[in-house]
């Protein structure tokens, strides 16, 4: 029996809070994962997990062991990567996550081109507008926006994007154009996922809370509503630039446009960054430069 037996299964189960979800992540059977964790507990003479019919949770000993087990796995994987990638060609599985719309439009096409040049690499991309905990969920890389605060992560700026306020000519004919941020209180706003809209007034940052009768957490859906004249919207520029250029949308309060926000590649602190992550980040930096 290897001294590693059960450690990967334990970490995956603890993070997923489920033997079945851990099994799917590892490509194993649920019973096999459960047996491996039970054997590990027997070897350690310590219960690591509480089991119920609905979920799995950590004991105090399990919580303490989880942090050490993650470090062991990370160091093992770093060591294996450093040997396996001596020829400079990345290999193994790379797991990454990104928001849905930006991922579909910019990141996935760039990653697909990267994959053509690296046939030994396997890829798993999770497109999700929720901010995932890439350390606990085992992701190698994430693409994030704006300010970053997680000290467990290293961030490299890839590109930038900005948000633009706009409305269709048909709406502005009916309601008029806002002349100031305060004027927006009298307008019908098309609401997306954000509860506030950022603006700048000179050196001041202003967060305006929009009000309206329409809300959807899809940027594409917000764009469609704006094009139909349902109200004023604020969206990342990659949604609206083409419609503004051809006159289907009219930009508003451009002097109050918020500062550009960064598009970042973020990844966990590791003493040795795997070549698969390093090379993909370099590729994305080149591919996304100038994209919004």
């Amino acid at each position: 029996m290897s001294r590693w037996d059960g450690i990967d299964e334990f970490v995956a189960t603890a993070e997923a809070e489920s033997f079945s979800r851990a099994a799917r992540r590892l490509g194993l059977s649920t019973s096999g994962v459960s047996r491996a964790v039970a054997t590990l507990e027997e070897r350690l003479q310590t219960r690591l997990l509480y089991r119920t019919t609905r979920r799995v949770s950590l004991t105090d000993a399990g919580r303490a062991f989880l942090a050490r087990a993650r470090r062991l796995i990370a160091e093992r994987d770093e060591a294996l990567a450093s040997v396996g990638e001596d020829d400079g060609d990345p290999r193994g599985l790379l797991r990454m996550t990104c928001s849905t719309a930006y991922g579909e439009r910019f990141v996935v096409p760039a990653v697909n081109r990267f994959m053509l040049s690296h046939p030994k690499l396997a890829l798993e991309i999770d497109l999700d507008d929720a901010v995932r905990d890439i350390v606990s969920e085992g992701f190698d890389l994430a693409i994030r926006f704006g300010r970053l605060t997680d000290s467990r992560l290293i961030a490299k700026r890839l590109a930038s994007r900005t948000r633009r306020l706009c409305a269709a000519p048909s709406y502005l004919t009916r309601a008029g154009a806002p002349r100031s941020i305060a004027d927006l209180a009298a307008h019908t706003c098309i609401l997306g996922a954000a509860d506030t809209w950022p603006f700048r007034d000179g050196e001041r940052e202003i967060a305006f809370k929009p009000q309206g009768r329409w809300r959807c957490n899809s940027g594409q859906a917000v764009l469609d509503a704006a094009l139909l004249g349902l109200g004023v919207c604020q969206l990342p520029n990659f949604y609206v630039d083409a419609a503004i250029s051809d006159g289907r949308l009219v930009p508003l309060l451009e002097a109050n446009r918020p500062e550009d926000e960064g598009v970042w590649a973020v990844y966990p602190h590791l003493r040795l960054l795997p070549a698969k992550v390093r090379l993909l980040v370099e590729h994305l930096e080149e591919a996304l430069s100038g994209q919004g």
Side-chain angles (χ1 to χ4, degrees), residues 188-211:
T188 301
C189 297
I190 302 172
L191 309 178
D195 291 325
T196 60
W197 290 352
F199 294 99
R200 288 194 69 82
D201 183 7
E203 296 300 314
R204 284 195 309 140
E205 294 183 355
I206 295 176
F208 172 78
K209 189 172 180 62
Q211 300 294 324

Side-chain angles (χ1 to χ4, degrees), residues 192-251:
D195 291 325
T196 60
W197 290 352
F199 294 99
R200 288 194 69 82
D201 183 7
E203 296 300 314
R204 284 195 309 140
E205 294 183 355
I206 295 176
F208 172 78
K209 189 172 180 62
Q211 300 294 324
R213 63 188 180 92
W214 192 102
R215 178 186 286 274
C216 181
N217 64 350
S218 163
Q220 189 62 43
V222 171
L223 173 62
D224 185 68
L227 290 169
L228 287 174
L230 291 180
V232 178
C233 74
Q234 189 189 62
L235 282 171
N237 57 306
F238 69 83
Y239 283 107
V240 299
D241 280 350
I244 289 173
S245 295
D246 63 23
R248 289 176 295 149
L249 291 175
V250 177

Side-chain angles (χ1 to χ4, degrees), residues 113-129:
R113 291 192 294 273
F114 180 79
M115 292 292 289
L116 284 174
S117 303
H118 301 288
K120 298 177 184 177
L121 186 65
L123 176 70
E124 181 180 312
I125 304 181
D126 192 318
L127 296 182
D128 190 337
D129 290 331

